Amino acid sequence: MNSSPAGQKAAGYARDCATSQTGDYFQLSSLMCWDAVVLCAVNTGAIPTKLDITATQFSNFVQMTDPLVADPIAMRRVPQGSFLAFIENSGGSPKLIHAMMAVGQGMAAGNKNACVGIGGPVGSDLLTPT
């Protein structure tokens, strides 16, 4: 799958913020993880306006029927700029517990990644496949 130019731009922005810790790094680091992903898309024009997202209201970005990313090989096929949702489904009610942005080559950028056992508790990190 190829990513769109808008997705590539958003992914580059997210990657650059995570790796250089300049630009909007501190702004992104202060946000909820899903708000940081949304802001990356807004700031690069990938989406026209900020859309609200919460742990229980996330259908603007992900549906429960979207494909799962089960392993590093599948992650390498995720288009740049894609919203990556970490969903907990307890008691039949899905809850968004974390979000990141796919930045290409199986990597993802995200904020406060320690909540899913990877990266740091604060700040934006670039995560590479294992």
Side-chain angles (χ1 to χ4, degrees):
M1 245 192 257
N2 291 325
S3 59
S4 70
Q8 291 171 354
K9 190 173 180 181
Y13 175 82
R15 182 182 53 248
D16 291 348
C17 286
T19 56
S20 66
Q21 296 186 3
T22 59
D24 291 328
Y25 171 82
F26 292 105
Q27 180 186 17
L28 293 175
S29 296
S30 70
L31 299 174
M32 287 296 296
C33 55
W34 45 76
D35 290 328
V37 173
V38 170
L39 188 61
C40 287
V42 171
N43 285 354
T44 58
I47 60 175
T49 180
K50 185 178 182 310
L51 301 171
D52 289 331
I53 188 168
T54 68
T56 56
Q57 299 295 318
F58 49 83
S59 62
N60 290 329
F61 289 92
V62 65
Q63 303 292 317
M64 295 308 296
T65 55
D66 286 342
L68 296 177
V69 180
D71 56 42
I73 293 169
M75 184 61 197
R76 286 184 176 90
R77 292 191 297 266
V78 175
Q80 289 179 319
S82 294
F83 186 95
L84 300 171
F86 294 71
I87 307 278
E88 181 179 85
N89 198 359
S90 59
S93 291
K95 181 179 176 186
L96 181 65
I97 59 169
H98 189 56
M100 299 178 79
M101 179 177 281
V103 297
Q105 299 177 340
M107 295 183 286
N111 182 30
K112 301 175 180 153
N113 297 314
C115 69
V116 290
I118 49 178
V122 176
S124 188
D125 298 308
L126 182 66
L127 304 172
T128 58
T130 57

